[in-house]
Amino acid sequence: MVFTLSLSAIGGASTWLALTGAYEHPGFLASLPGLWLPAVVFVVVAVLLLLSALRSAVIDVAAATPDHWLVAIQALRVTAAGTLIRTLQGQFPHHMEYAVGLTDLVFGLSALILFGPAKRGTISSDALVIWHLTGLLIILVPGGIAIQSGLPGPLAVYDYLGPHSSAPILRFPMVLAPSLVVPIFLLFNVLGAWSAYKRRRAAFPPDSKETPT
């Protein structure tokens, strides 16, 4: 409940800032928001996890959640097809689609393929760890730089007022992607990787002489 309320508050604040034009104010743009806006959710969750009760609850949930459920959540990333359509319509910056939109869509499709093996238990925990970390890194590494390259500042590559501007990403409802939705998916990647790792450790403890297959 605490996590839900906190994330809802972030979403509400982001919506209000977008609708009031605060995200496009020169002062805000000068803060290089592309580099830190997606990190707000991570910071809030990290602070909440400092509370032992919440941390224990997350650990219990991760331990009780089947691997294929966490894979199924990532299948929702196929909704990134929406940005592809908007790109083709000229309503979304091409550089953002190339940097994160297409890879996000492909990762969502891979989740659809992986769901069956994960449910049957025919995919190893190591493979799931790598898969979840891949889903995290393909967005985390290029995402912020890609956004900022179309905004004013030292990392600008494209004209803020030109056709490749990142300005549409700071407008409602699109801004909810980098400020809320995408970070939540990435947090589930972290949870999925951690959960799969713990299952592997439980199956093959450090003092075990068995070799994982």
Side-chain angles (χ1 to χ4, degrees), residues 35-109:
L35 300 182
W36 60 262
L37 184 60
V40 172
V41 169
F42 283 90
V43 172
V44 170
V45 170
V47 171
L48 291 175
L49 289 177
L50 293 176
L51 302 175
S52 60
L54 292 179
R55 188 167 60 251
S56 297
V58 170
I59 291 174
D60 291 342
V61 168
T65 303
D67 288 329
H68 66 279
W69 286 15
L70 294 170
V71 170
I73 290 173
Q74 297 300 327
L76 295 175
R77 286 164 72 165
V78 296
T79 55
T83 61
L84 176 59
I85 294 173
R86 292 173 68 91
T87 300
L88 295 175
Q89 294 174 338
Q91 300 174 359
F92 190 77
H94 287 73
H95 72 282
M96 282 296 302
E97 183 63 21
Y98 298 147
V100 295
L102 291 176
T103 52
D104 203 29
L105 173 59
V106 171
F107 188 77
L109 293 173

Side-chain angles (χ1 to χ4, degrees), residues 13-14 30 32 62 67 86 88 90 103 109 113 119 121 126 146 152 157 162 173 182 200 207:
S14 187
L32 306 181
D67 288 329
R86 292 173 68 91
L88 295 175
T103 52
L109 293 173
I113 297 172
K119 186 175 183 179
D126 286 344
V157 175
V182 171
R200 181 191 184 284
D207 58 348

Side-chain angles (χ1 to χ4, degrees), residues 118-156:
K119 186 175 183 179
R120 293 190 297 270
T122 56
I123 182 171
S124 71
S125 295
D126 286 344
L128 282 173
V129 170
I130 293 172
W131 181 77
H132 276 294
L133 292 180
T134 298
L136 172 71
L137 295 176
I138 61 174
I139 302 299
L140 196 62
V141 173
I145 296 175
I147 294 175
Q148 196 57 49
S149 67
L151 297 176
L155 298 180

